[in-house]
Amino acid sequence: MLLTRFIVVFLSIYAAHLIKPAIGKINSKNNAIIDDIVEYKDFKKLLRTKTNVLVLYTSNVKQSADHIKVFKETAGIVKGTGTMVLMDCSNADKKKLCKKLKVNPDPVTLKHYKDGDYHKDYDRKMAVSSMVNFMRDPAGDLPWEEDPAGKDVIHFGDYASFLKHLKKDMRPMLVMFYVPWCGFCKRLKPDYSKAATELKAEGYVLAGMDVERQENALARRAYNITGFPTIIYFENGKLKQIYEGDNNKDGIVSFMRDPTSVLIKKPKDADWSADTNSEIVHLTKQSFEPALKDEKSVLVMFYAPWCGHCKRMKPEYEKAAVDMKQKNIPGVLAALDATKESAIAEQYGVKGYPTVKYFVNGQFKFDVNVRDADKIVEFMKDPKEPPPPPPPEKNWEEEEDTEVVFLKDDNFSTTLKRKKHALVMFYAPWCGHCKSTKPEFNAAAKALKDDSRLILAAVDCTRETAVCSQHEVRGYPTFKYFSYLKTKQEYNGGRKREDFIAFMNKANESAVPKSKSAEQHEEL
């Protein structure tokens, strides 16, 4: 009986010993963190296959619990962009590996590895947002919101939080809309931060928003931001004016204390509604409903005085109104300054400028996408609801008939290191020049597909932001030539199938060819 019990216990322990490693592997697959590397060769293999790796080394898991919690949460967010590895150096199996790597955590050390080699120690805050920012762009500058010098600047992470803030905070506020790569923005940030600190006690707010982030694209459209930095002044939650004073601390402080004291450098545009010769009916909150309710056909242009697209449309709209009067075409062309009458604009869901809407007897019918005088007159002759927009285009990489290789942040370097000749097209799905070039690039890739020494590749910069920032992509499309990733040069040649093929064939035959003069590209 005793022998039987001994055998049962022995078999149970042996079975648990066999099953335990398997369970560990299963958990590792389901977890965003890799925590089962023991051998040095496995660690080196990981670095060869993953280009963006952050390792948390710990000598005491219990003491490092808070660090590990942040690390795990970050891993779930950056999965697919970066690789997170947990190395418990107190574990008997991993002590040898930590010693081999010359890491002695006390109790925690974080090290980053890039393109197969050690890059740097992690030197940011131990917070999820900081670690996510780092993993998205490990070689980039410290984000402004993490710089201690900018602690008194309010940083809006997305456009939605900015709009929410405008509704609840009525204090005078200056907002700097910027992008991380802008040299003027970098030079202004220290002075802007100092101004924020000086003005904080006086009840003034200085804020910043990185409009390169996809979640802030709406801000660029809403305020027609085309240059950086663009600095806008708000009072009582409403836009008042574009700041055009001196770009230094003293200039900003003086302006906030007395916005009327700063000399406006550009001549102020005349108030459109004050033009007595205009054929446009200018609406206000009080006149909106009375003016529209008895009219059978009204087109209303919602605009902002500072909006560049509105300024370009204004003379066309005026011309259309004159043409309609001369030709006895029924209907009214009206306009409403949405920055003054924001309640009306919000009521009709106006998100950008200009927005054109069609009304019948005061009832909104549909939006109209017309900007030129001829098109406006043509519409008013026979007002019809425009057809629904076509279905969204397929993502380029989802197209079946393409030989283009699509690269991402985590496979860009590993793929190009293996190719003698690679021509990479950095693009954005919305870019018109990219769309016209795409079929030519596809055709060239198809013609060259049988040569294993070369590839034509593409990177979607609206998604793969880290690699596009690393290679200083400033407009779309941008073409760059690589040879084993060591040689890199700009391609500024033609955009036709035969241009791409000739360039790659010449690269195959001899040295890297010089490309011809550049064509158009769309700025970020």
Side-chain angles (χ1 to χ4, degrees):
M1 184 74 174
L2 187 61
L3 179 61
T4 304
R5 288 179 64 188
F6 175 79
I7 292 170
V8 169
V9 171
F10 174 79
L11 290 174
S12 299
I13 294 170
Y14 183 67
H17 178 74
L18 290 176
I19 293 169
K20 188 175 179 181
I23 292 173
K25 287 182 179 179
I26 291 170
N27 288 340
S28 179
K29 286 181 181 178
N30 292 334
N31 198 327
I33 286 182
I34 296 173
D35 59 2
D36 58 355
I37 295 179
V38 176
E39 299 293 334
Y40 180 71
K41 63 178 182 179
D42 292 332
F43 184 74
K44 296 302 287 183
K45 182 180 178 182
L46 175 77
L47 297 188
R48 286 196 303 271
T49 55
K50 302 293 183 181
T51 60
N52 181 16
V53 180
L54 187 63
V55 183
L56 186 152
Y57 298 91
T58 177
S59 59
N60 188 312
V61 171
K62 190 173 181 180
Q63 290 180 12
S64 309
D66 291 341
H67 294 77
I68 292 172
K69 182 181 177 182
V70 170
F71 197 73
K72 285 183 176 180
E73 192 174 339
T74 303
I77 297 171
V78 304
K79 190 174 182 181
T81 300
T83 302
M84 313 286 276
V85 178
L86 179 61
M87 193 75 70
D88 179 8
C89 296
S90 66
N91 182 290
D93 294 331
K94 297 180 182 178
K95 273 185 179 179
K96 185 177 178 182
L97 176 56
C98 292
K99 189 174 181 180
K100 176 83 173 175
L101 295 170
K102 298 179 180 179
V103 179
N104 186 23
D106 183 26
V108 164
T109 296
L110 289 101
K111 292 185 177 290
H112 184 259
Y113 301 83
K114 184 172 178 285
D115 297 331
D117 296 312
Y118 168 75
H119 173 222
K120 62 185 290 188
D121 280 12
Y122 177 77
D123 55 1
R124 307 273 182 91
K125 290 180 183 177
M126 201 63 198
V128 174
S129 59
S130 299
M131 202 171 286
V132 168
N133 283 338
F134 176 82
M135 290 302 286
R136 285 175 175 168
D137 187 11
D141 296 331
L142 180 72
W144 194 9
E145 62 265 30
E146 294 181 40
D147 187 345
K151 61 183 175 60
D152 294 318
V153 176
I154 295 177
H155 296 277
F156 295 111
D158 57 73
Y159 185 53
S161 65
F162 168 69
L163 292 179
K164 188 176 179 181
H165 183 93
L166 279 182
K167 287 183 178 179
K168 69 177 184 180
D169 192 341
M170 298 293 107
R171 292 178 295 170
M173 180 170 70
L174 201 62
V175 183
M176 175 173 160
F177 297 91
Y178 69 96
V179 291
W181 46 263
C182 159
F184 294 110
C185 307
K186 290 179 182 179
R187 287 194 286 275
L188 179 57
K189 282 177 185 177
D191 272 35
Y192 196 85
S193 297
K194 289 175 185 175
T197 300
E198 184 169 329
L199 292 165
K200 184 179 178 181
E202 300 175 36
Y204 301 110
V205 179
L206 265 65
M209 184 189 292
D210 177 359
V211 290
E212 188 171 53
R213 294 178 183 173
Q214 190 64 29
E215 55 268 33
N216 290 330
L218 282 173
R220 291 175 76 159
R221 290 201 290 272
Y223 299 113
N224 193 37
I225 296 169
T226 57
F228 308 106
T230 291
I231 304 174
I232 302 179
Y233 177 65
F234 295 83
E235 265 185 23
N236 298 317
K238 308 296 181 188
L239 183 151
K240 288 295 180 182
Q241 69 182 78
I242 309 296
Y243 173 75
E244 294 180 346
D246 293 331
N247 282 342
N248 55 43
K249 180 181 83 72
D250 292 340
I252 292 167
V253 169
S254 296
F255 173 82
M256 292 301 288
R257 287 173 177 162
D258 182 9
T260 63
S261 67
V262 175
L263 180 66
I264 302 299
K265 294 180 180 178
K266 294 180 182 177
K268 188 177 180 181
D269 292 329
D271 185 349
W272 188 12
S273 62
D275 184 358
T276 55
N277 295 318
S278 175
E279 294 294 338
I280 304 299
V281 176
H282 288 275
L283 304 171
T284 64
K285 182 180 179 181
Q286 290 74 25
S287 67
F288 192 88
E289 288 186 10
L292 267 60
K293 70 176 184 178
D294 294 326
E295 295 290 345
K296 294 180 180 178
S297 179
V298 183
L299 207 58
V300 180
M301 173 183 169
F302 294 81
Y303 71 95
W306 45 260
C307 158
H309 297 299
C310 305
K311 290 177 182 178
R312 286 190 286 273
M313 181 178 170
K314 177 182 165 184
E316 296 291 321
Y317 205 55
E318 292 277 11
K319 182 176 183 297
V322 172
D323 287 350
M324 287 173 60
K325 183 178 180 180
Q326 291 175 346
K327 297 173 183 177
N328 294 319
I329 297 171
V332 174
L333 298 189
L336 181 132
D337 182 345
T339 64
K340 288 182 179 178
E341 311 295 350
S342 57
I344 298 290
E346 288 176 14
Q347 179 183 344
Y348 290 100
V350 175
K351 301 295 184 186
Y353 310 119
T355 292
V356 184
K357 294 179 179 286
Y358 183 67
F359 292 78
V360 173
N361 295 120
Q363 298 296 313
F364 166 68
K365 293 301 179 180
F366 47 79
D367 286 336
V368 182
N369 186 22
V370 288
R371 298 288 185 269
D372 300 329
D374 292 344
K375 296 291 183 183
I376 295 167
V377 172
E378 184 180 337
F379 170 81
M380 292 300 284
K381 282 180 180 177
D382 185 18
K384 288 182 180 177
E385 185 172 3
E393 297 178 66
K394 269 188 176 182
N395 289 333
W396 190 1
E397 60 189 84
E398 293 174 357
E399 295 178 7
E400 296 177 4
D401 191 26
T402 183
E403 297 298 329
V404 172
V405 177
F406 295 92
L407 303 176
K408 302 183 182 300
D409 288 343
D410 60 353
N411 71 349
F412 185 89
S413 297
T414 51
T415 302
L416 295 193
K417 277 180 179 178
R418 299 194 298 267
K419 290 298 176 182
K420 186 174 183 180
H421 305 293
L423 186 60
V424 181
M425 175 176 165
F426 298 86
Y427 74 98
W430 49 259
C431 156
H433 297 307
C434 304
K435 289 178 182 179
S436 60
T437 303
K438 188 172 75 172
E440 301 292 336
F441 204 67
N442 276 337
K446 189 174 290 187
L448 298 168
K449 68 177 182 178
D450 294 328
D451 193 336
S452 61
R453 293 170 298 178
L454 57 83
I455 59 167
L456 266 63
V459 178
D460 180 354
C461 289
T462 63
R463 291 190 296 176
E464 314 305 328
T465 55
V467 71
C468 295
S469 175
Q470 179 187 349
H471 293 285
E472 300 180 336
V473 176
R474 296 286 179 263
Y476 306 128
T478 290
F479 295 87
K480 292 181 185 283
Y481 167 84
F482 298 84
S483 179
Y484 295 127
L485 201 60
K486 294 178 181 178
T487 300
K488 180 174 81 169
Q489 78 165 51
E490 295 280 344
Y491 170 86
N492 294 315
R495 305 267 178 94
K496 298 297 182 184
R497 169 186 177 276
E498 55 269 24
D499 296 320
F500 296 128
I501 293 173
F503 179 89
M504 295 302 278
N505 284 339
K506 195 168 182 181
N508 239 347
E509 292 167 7
S510 55
V512 181
K514 299 273 187 184
S515 55
K516 296 177 183 178
S517 60
E519 293 187 25
Q520 287 180 303
H521 70 277
E522 295 191 15
E523 294 295 335
L524 290 172

